[in-house]
């Protein structure tokens, strides 16, 4: 399909190819080095200019002038042995602070405790496009390994030179270089003392075989875990600045409403400031309760406009679909019409998915501070440099006057790409002349943050009596083109994505549209298997019959084996289902067992087999896969945004059900560790198998086919 | 509205100044700098703001500070004793029972309340007691594992 696939698809463009190049040295002048690093040894990762430009779409700015523009990350070994690594990636709960620290520790052979990661601070860390698309592990992990091993070679060379011995005989371990033959030892700090040594390594194409890396075999606890279990860690809503006041924003009553008039007189109080800028209205006050009170006293008249409601959503999406243009050319091969005519089993069905909210437990928040014409903002975002640009544009100041700092954040799941709270806090801080903290309420989150796109998917399929697929037609309206192509072998296909102007604000979500497309595809594969003549075919057998892709076959087989597929019959009222697919180089198959109890669906057991190439951190990976399945349960079973005339009706956790302890099934994870294949990311893809596996199991248990996500918001009605 | 001027938090008397109706969460976070209790929903639905009031778990987001005055309040910052982590804190570390960890302090304090009344809970009892606490990252299985692990440690420490 063409690459130009509409707005949700854009964020997938992170797949920047880094062209391989020869490592080269560049010389820092000693004075320059001391100015930047203050002595010691530094290793800088260079991303070749072409790739850097492609990655960011523009040159980076704001980083130390004396540093080249294409820096991807850098590591500094100080004269006291402390190692600081700088990366623009953000920690939003995927535990990359730990996995990246671990990667550096292993390659550098230095104790974990001596390594500190400085992350996602636009003034201190090099440009990074953002932390999403599951690219941190396959790219940054690998690059930091290269940087760390180059640093290790440097300290070994320093020792060899100092001792006048051959570097080959020296051992680096635990932050020291030893000469077993001569019995000498020097710590990294001692070796770095008095040095001003810099080396550059060029980022290589990370898609090179990864079999050579040391694979982190044993699970590592979160490096700064103690800060979290003691409550010491400072998330954005916990940041406090001298003289800080609290902000609140006046929200329109519905989408598309415009401000007609505003009377602020009732809100007037000492130290309360009301800011108005076009349709933006907000207040600041010395305490949050005071800010809330002032907000409640504002009298605003809004002009509302009619908007669609969730009741008519799917008709709306169909009726307002765009053809051609943004959706790109359809993928077409053979003739679906001809093939359907001669098919011996046919399927024609429509599937739908609702808007859902990421609902990260930490709401969008920001603390903004202006000082000397410079703006500093602490905010939880996956795109610190993107937010810096948004701020610079909003306030018409150069980017180097803006600093964005991302404290390790209370999750995002694809939902924190934009700088809404940052811009609002900065606008209020400008009005107040003081630093401002703004924390969105849960109600604001549920209305004004963006949603996972809703969608309608129409499928037509045909097969011969022996189960060979012959025709496949697939139209996705609005939810997105990720994983829209079928991995099965079908000679006649037509596949098309139809963008729609969404009635609600929509954006990326863990795994993007791969969830919706897998739900439709893997449900209809199940339907086709059952529709085959002579009582249908086992759904797993049907899939394997039409599947050549070895890696996908392997995960299906692994999940089936662990699950005991075909070995036993479910208990009364229980059912088994299986589904799988491939996205972002991750291959997943999920088998599920459900129980129907009092018209409710309970997921009893889930087995997920996953292959994302070489496994770097098995424990973290398992945690991510379990988490993806549990999060996926919500969207599969009960999460849906209800709205009417541009107003979200279920804007709280008491009205929007998320998975809880009692919803959690037994989850087993099978990792297929492919040491011969570079690692792909894993935070997203494992979510895509769950919904169709559960839907297929519900059909198996009850004979009821559920074609809408969520499947049972109000229980299973016959 | 009556003003509240003092709270008993983590064994210390803390001067504050708030209307009695102000949520305890706001006072703890903004006046006492105890930011371990988190805002997640403001309506008693997620448990991120959990603190202990005389050893019972309470949602500080919808507990008026007036109702908390005169009681002994424990926040996550006060759980470690004599510089040693509480067994639950240690167990959460050992089990890796978090991803973003925004839910963690509420989880640990709720679990502390559970283990006080039921030192040997079954897995199912843990799930039921903890059901009011949301972990959006979905680390529930490890949280259950950590709580059961801590129960074991605490039993051993006693004997
Ligand atoms: S913030 Fe108190 S229960 Fe959610
Ligand atoms: S670890 Fe993120 S909410 Fe629990």
């Amino acid at each position: 399909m063409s690459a130009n696939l509409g707005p949700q698809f854009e964020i997938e463009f992170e797949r920047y190819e880094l062209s391989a190049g020869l490592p080269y040295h560049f010389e820092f002048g000693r004075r320059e080095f001391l100015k930047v690093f203050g002595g010691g040894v530094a290793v800088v990762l260079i991303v070749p200019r072409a790739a850097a430009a492609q990655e960011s779409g523009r040159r980076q700015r704001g980083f130390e002038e004396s540093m080249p523009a294409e820096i991807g990350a850098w590591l500094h070994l100080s004269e006291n042995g402390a190692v600081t690594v700088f990366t623009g990636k953000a920690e939003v709960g995927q535990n990359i602070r730990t996995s990246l620290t671990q990667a550096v520790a292993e390659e550098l052979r230095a104790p974990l405790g001596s390594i500190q990661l400085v992350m996602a601070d636009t003034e201190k860390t090099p440009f990074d496009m953002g932390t999403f698309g599951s690219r941190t592990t396959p790219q940054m992990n690998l690059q930091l390994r290269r940087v760390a091993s180059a640093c290790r070679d440097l300290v070994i060379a320093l020792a060899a030179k100092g001792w006048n011995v051959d570097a080959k005989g020296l051992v680096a371990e635990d932050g020291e270089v030893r000469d077993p033959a001569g019995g000498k030892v020097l710590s990294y700090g001692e070796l770095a003392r008095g040095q001003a040594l810099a080396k550059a390594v060029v980022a290589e194409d990370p898609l090179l075989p990864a079999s050579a890396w040391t694979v982190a075999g044993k699970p590592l606890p979160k490096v700064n875990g103690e800060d979290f279990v003691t409550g010491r860690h400072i998330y954005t809503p916990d940041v406090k600045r001298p003289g800080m006041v609290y902000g609140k924003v006046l929200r329109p009553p519905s989408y598309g409403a415009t401000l007609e008039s505003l009377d602020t007189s009732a809100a007037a109080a000492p130290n309360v400031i009301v800011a108005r800028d076009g349709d933006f209205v907000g207040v600041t006050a010395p305490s949050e309760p005071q800010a809330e009170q002032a907000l409640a006293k504002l009298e605003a008249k809004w002009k509302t406009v009619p908007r669609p409601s969730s009741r008519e959503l799917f008709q709306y999406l169909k009726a307002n679909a765009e053809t051609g243009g943004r959706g790109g050319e359809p993928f077409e091969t053979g003739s679906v019409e001809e093939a359907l005519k001669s098919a011996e089993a046919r399927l024609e069905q429509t599937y739908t998915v609702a808007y859902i909210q990421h609902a990260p437990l930490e709401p969008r928040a920001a603390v903004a501070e202006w000082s000397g014409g410079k703006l500093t903002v602490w905010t939880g975002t996956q795109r610190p440099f993107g937010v810096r640009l948004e701020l610079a544009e909003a306030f018409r100041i150069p980017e180097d006057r803006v600093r964005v700092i991302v404290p390790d954040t209370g999750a995002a799941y694809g939902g924190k790409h934009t700088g809404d709270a940052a811009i609002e806090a900065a606008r209020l801080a400008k009005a107040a002349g003081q630093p401002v903290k703004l924390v969105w309420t849960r109600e604001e989150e549920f209305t004004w943050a963006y949603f996972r796109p809703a969608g309608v998917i129409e499928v037509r399929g045909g097969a011969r009596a022996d189960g060979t697929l012959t025709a496949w037609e697939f139209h996705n309206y609005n939810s997105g083109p990720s994983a829209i192509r079928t991995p099965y072998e079908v000679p006649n296909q037509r596949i098309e994505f139809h963008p729609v102007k969404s009635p609600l604000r929509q954006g990326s979500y863990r795994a993007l549209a791969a969830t919706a497309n897998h739900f439709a595809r893997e449900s209809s594969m199940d339907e086709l298997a059952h529709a085959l003549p002579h009582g249908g075919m086992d759904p797993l057998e049907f899939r394997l019959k039409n599947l050549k892709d070895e890696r996908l076959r392997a995960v299906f087989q692994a999940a089936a084996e662990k699950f005991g597929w075909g070995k036993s019959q479910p208990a009364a009222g229980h059912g088994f289902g299986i589904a799988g697919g491939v996205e972002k180089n991750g291959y997943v198959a999920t088998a599920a067992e459900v129980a129907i109890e009092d018209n409710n669906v309970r997921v009893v057991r889930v087995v997920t087999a996953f292959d994302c190439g070489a496994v770097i951190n098995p424990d973290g990976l398992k945690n991510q896969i379990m988490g993806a399945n549990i999060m996926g349960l919500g969207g599969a079973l009960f999460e849906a945004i209800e709205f009417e005339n541009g107003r979200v009706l279920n804007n709280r956790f008491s009205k929007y059900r998320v998975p809880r302890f009692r919803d959690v099934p037994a989850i087993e994870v099978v990792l297929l560790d492919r040491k011969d294949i570079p690692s792909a990311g894993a935070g997203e893809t494992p979510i895509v198998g769950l919904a169709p596996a559960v839907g297929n199991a519900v059909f198996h248990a009850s004979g009821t086919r559920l074609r809408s996500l969520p499947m049972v918001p109000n229980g299973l009605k016959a | 509205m009556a003003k509240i001027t003092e709270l008993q938090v983590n064994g210390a008397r803390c001067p504050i100044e708030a209307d009695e109706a102000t949520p305890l969460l706001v006072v703890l976070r903004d006046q006492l700098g105890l930011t371990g209790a988190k805002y997640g929903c403001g309506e008693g639905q997620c448990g991120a703001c959990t603190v202990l009031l005389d050893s019972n778990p309470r949602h500080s987001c919808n507990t008026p500070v007036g109702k908390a005055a005169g009681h002994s309040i424990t926040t996550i910052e006060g759980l470690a004793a004599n510089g040693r982590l509480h067994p639950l804190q240690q167990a959460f570390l050992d089990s890796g029972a978090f991803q973003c960890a925004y839910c963690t302090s509420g989880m640990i304090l709720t679990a502390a309340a559970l283990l006080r009344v039921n030192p040997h809970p079954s897995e199912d009892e843990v799930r039921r007691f903890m059901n009011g606490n949301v972990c959006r990252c979905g680390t529930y299985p490890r949280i259950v594992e950590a709580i059961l692990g801590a129960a074991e440690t605490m039993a051993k420490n006693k004997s």
Side-chain angles (χ1 to χ4, degrees):
Chain A
M1 301 203 54
S2 109
N4 179 20
L5 286 164
Q8 313 85 345
F9 198 49
E10 270 166 29
I11 62 155
E12 286 200 325
F13 287 161
E14 204 202 3
R15 295 168 179 174
Y16 40 92
E17 303 293 318
L18 302 179
S19 53
L22 287 175
Y24 61 88
H25 288 271
F26 72 99
E27 299 297 327
F28 268 117
R30 189 179 171 86
R31 277 187 45 207
E32 256 184 338
F33 184 97
L34 292 173
K35 187 179 135 220
V36 176
F37 299 109
V41 175
V43 179
V44 177
L45 177 80
I46 304 292
V47 181
R49 193 174 288 271
Q54 187 183 336
E55 174 188 341
S56 60
R58 66 203 165 83
R59 274 179 44 111
Q60 66 151 28
R61 274 164 277 167
F63 194 54
E64 282 285 351
E65 304 269 287
S66 45
M67 305 287 276
E70 316 93 321
I71 287 177
W74 53 280
L75 177 154
H76 177 232
L77 167 65
S78 79
E79 293 174 276
N80 61 18
V83 177
T84 316
V85 182
F86 296 80
T87 160
K89 294 284 175 207
E91 170 65 64
V92 291
Q94 40 349 7
N95 280 333
I96 57 172
R97 181 180 293 283
T98 299
S99 59
L100 294 178
T101 304
Q102 184 178 20
V104 170
E106 281 183 5
E107 294 297 333
L108 187 56
R109 314 244 167 95
L112 276 170
S114 66
I115 299 162
Q116 209 216 333
L117 241 67
V118 175
M119 302 175 76
D121 175 338
T122 60
E123 199 161 283
K124 288 193 171 166
T125 63
F127 177 86
D128 185 83
M129 195 163 98
T131 308
F132 47 76
S134 298
R135 305 308 293 159
T136 304
T137 294
Q139 293 183 332
M140 192 50 78
N141 191 297
L142 220 59
Q143 309 298 18
L144 287 186
R145 278 175 189 275
R146 289 175 45 72
V147 167
S149 70
C151 183
R152 181 192 68 217
D153 292 346
L154 275 181
V155 287
I156 291 177
L158 283 171
K161 200 168 149 206
W163 294 332
N164 202 12
V165 296
D166 185 356
K168 279 203 196 74
L170 303 182
V171 191
E173 210 170 23
D174 219 13
E176 295 173 340
V177 179
R178 278 187 286 123
D179 177 8
K184 292 197 207 74
V185 183
L186 277 175
S187 73
Y188 287 0
E190 288 166 319
L191 287 163
R193 209 154 293 157
Q195 298 292 337
L197 190 61
K199 184 186 167 80
V201 293
V202 173
E204 280 181 3
D205 187 338
L207 301 179
L208 290 173
S211 42
W213 341 322
T214 341
V215 171
K218 77 176 168 52
L220 192 76
K222 206 170 170 90
V223 280
N224 49 347
E226 215 177 295
D227 290 347
F228 292 93
V229 299
T230 55
R232 268 201 309 265
H233 173 69
I234 299 294
Y235 294 89
T236 299
D238 308 331
V239 169
K240 194 161 193 171
R241 302 293 303 163
M244 185 180 83
V245 294
Y246 296 80
K248 287 277 165 199
V249 174
L250 184 69
R251 303 291 172 188
S254 62
Y255 266 76
T258 44
L259 189 59
E260 275 191 333
S261 69
L262 178 73
D263 180 355
T264 65
S265 49
N271 301 319
V272 168
I273 286 166
V274 180
R276 178 172 178 186
D277 193 339
D279 279 359
F280 173 85
V281 180
V283 300
T284 67
S287 76
E288 199 168 3
Q290 282 169 285
E292 272 163 14
Q293 283 157 18
L295 189 79
K297 288 184 188 147
L298 293 177
E299 283 181 32
K301 278 216 184 69
W302 297 89
K303 185 171 156 31
T304 58
V305 286
R307 307 279 292 201
S309 300
S310 37
R311 258 179 285 108
E312 67 224 19
L313 173 64
F314 301 121
Q315 297 91 298
Y316 175 93
L317 293 178
K318 275 296 307 276
N320 290 278
E322 295 170 24
T323 42
R326 275 202 309 143
E329 287 299 306
F331 172 80
E332 197 154 15
T333 172
S335 165
V336 171
E337 292 307 328
E338 290 300 307
L340 277 175
K341 259 184 234 152
S342 58
E344 288 154 294
R346 281 184 210 96
L347 158 119
E348 181 166 356
Q349 277 306 343
T350 301
Y351 304 83
T352 61
V353 302
Y355 288 107
I356 59 176
Q357 237 306 320
H358 313 80
L361 214 48
E362 178 191 325
R364 281 148 191 82
V367 174
E369 178 172 304
W370 292 88
S371 154
K374 226 193 127 185
L375 172 64
T376 304
V377 177
W378 289 259
T379 190
T381 177
Q382 295 168 261
R383 291 174 61 243
F385 290 85
V387 170
R388 181 179 68 171
L389 180 64
E390 282 182 48
L391 286 164
E393 283 176 351
F395 297 99
R396 296 187 191 85
I397 52 176
E399 272 181 279
D400 60 9
R401 311 243 72 190
V402 183
R403 178 179 183 186
V404 174
I405 302 169
V406 181
D408 290 11
T409 295
Y413 321 116
K416 291 181 179 170
H417 288 240
T418 53
D420 311 37
I423 291 173
E424 291 165 354
R427 184 63 192 84
L428 291 175
K430 203 167 182 181
Q434 277 164 301
V436 167
K437 181 190 293 190
L438 172 70
V439 180
W440 280 21
T441 62
R442 184 56 58 191
E443 290 83 346
E444 288 177 292
E445 281 279 311
F446 267 121
T447 300
W448 302 106
Y450 56 82
F451 301 97
R452 179 195 76 181
V456 176
I457 298 170
E458 292 174 339
V459 185
R460 291 202 296 167
R464 286 207 294 268
D466 68 352
T468 308
L469 275 171
T470 53
W472 188 255
E473 184 168 6
F474 196 94
H475 294 271
N476 176 315
Y477 296 88
N478 189 58
S479 70
S482 297
I484 195 171
R485 292 275 296 274
T486 177
Y488 300 102
E489 306 293 323
V490 202
N492 304 289
Q493 298 188 28
R494 184 183 170 90
I495 293 171
E496 192 169 3
F497 168 56
H498 309 264
V500 184
K501 199 163 171 352
S502 167
L504 294 186
R505 185 178 179 205
Q506 61 184 24
S508 70
Y509 184 96
R510 199 171 194 168
L512 306 175
T515 298
N517 287 326
H518 275 93
F519 173 65
R521 181 164 52 244
E522 286 294 284
S523 298
S524 45
M525 286 295 286
D526 216 67
E527 299 202 48
L528 261 176
H530 289 290
L532 289 170
H534 319 301
M537 194 174 199
D538 174 82
L540 174 65
E541 194 189 329
F542 175 60
R543 284 176 172 82
L544 293 176
K545 185 177 175 68
N546 290 289
L547 197 55
K548 278 208 191 117
D549 187 316
E550 279 309 321
R551 291 175 75 186
L552 189 50
R553 290 181 67 90
V555 288
F556 266 120
Q557 280 155 344
E561 198 194 328
K562 181 90 181 179
F563 188 82
W565 188 266
K567 298 260 164 58
S568 63
Q569 284 301 311
H574 288 229
F576 299 155
I578 195 162
V582 49
E583 166 66 355
K584 291 196 175 109
N585 279 321
Y587 293 76
V588 63
T590 296
E593 174 178 352
V594 303
I596 313 292
E597 292 162 352
D598 310 325
N599 258 342
N600 264 312
V601 173
R602 184 166 65 86
V603 181
V604 178
R605 181 178 174 225
V606 170
V607 174
T608 293
F610 191 56
D611 162 9
C612 62
V615 174
I616 292 176
N617 178 347
D619 190 62
L621 185 54
K622 279 191 183 156
N623 211 7
Q624 284 282 339
I625 295 172
M626 288 214 221
N629 271 318
I630 292 167
M631 191 163 191
L633 272 181
L637 297 178
F638 33 71
E639 285 182 44
I641 291 291
E642 292 156 29
F643 57 100
E644 198 172 293
N645 207 5
R647 234 162 39 84
V648 172
L649 303 174
N650 54 341
N651 61 353
R652 314 160 154 255
F653 279 138
S654 52
K655 297 181 188 156
Y656 182 100
R657 180 174 167 198
V658 295
R660 290 175 181 268
F661 277 95
R662 288 167 76 181
D663 298 313
V664 175
I667 302 175
E668 292 151 83
V669 173
V670 189
L671 296 180
L672 281 78
D673 188 1
R674 294 289 303 263
K675 295 246 195 307
D676 53 326
I677 299 172
S679 189
E684 307 186 82
T685 304
I687 202 173
V688 305
L690 183 87
V694 167
N696 296 340
V698 170
F699 177 77
H700 191 216
S702 66
T704 304
R705 179 61 69 177
L706 301 171
R707 300 188 182 92
S708 296
L709 293 186
M711 290 185 272
V712 287
N714 305 304
L716 187 66
K717 288 190 204 113
Chain B
M1 207 183 287
K3 290 262 182 222
I4 306 296
T5 55
E6 187 181 280
L7 287 180
Q8 189 77 31
V9 187
N10 298 331
R13 286 152 64 139
C14 306
I16 60 154
E17 198 199 315
D19 289 340
E20 61 185 354
T22 309
L24 174 60
L25 177 66
V26 171
V27 176
L28 291 173
R29 291 177 53 84
D30 296 346
Q31 291 199 28
L32 299 178
L34 297 168
T35 52
K38 305 294 182 203
Y39 168 86
C41 68
E43 54 162 351
Q45 285 285 324
C46 75
C49 63
T50 303
V51 299
L52 301 179
L53 220 63
D54 300 330
S55 311
N56 299 311
R58 286 286 172 270
H59 294 138
S60 63
C61 69
N62 57 10
T63 301
V65 69
K67 289 258 159 62
H71 296 271
S72 135
I73 302 165
T74 307
T75 71
I76 192 72
E77 290 89 347
L79 200 61
N82 313 318
R84 285 200 51 165
L85 292 182
H86 185 281
L88 272 164
Q89 293 172 309
Q90 190 59 50
F92 269 65
L93 282 180
D94 295 344
S95 299
F98 36 57
Q99 285 179 25
C100 78
Y102 196 80
C103 66
T104 302
S105 48
M107 291 284 179
I108 290 177
L109 287 169
T110 308
L114 165 66
L115 296 187
R116 195 180 64 90
V117 293
N118 182 357
H120 302 288
S122 69
E123 216 177 295
D124 199 50
E125 286 170 329
V126 171
R127 280 208 201 96
R128 254 182 289 164
F129 195 90
M130 300 296 297
N131 206 51
N133 288 61
V134 169
C135 174
R136 194 59 178 144
C137 298
T139 57
Y140 297 118
R142 291 193 178 191
I143 295 173
V144 173
E145 179 194 310
I147 295 171
L148 294 174
E152 245 173 66
T153 314
M154 287 162 78
K156 258 189 237 141
N157 290 351
K158 272 214 181 107
S159 61

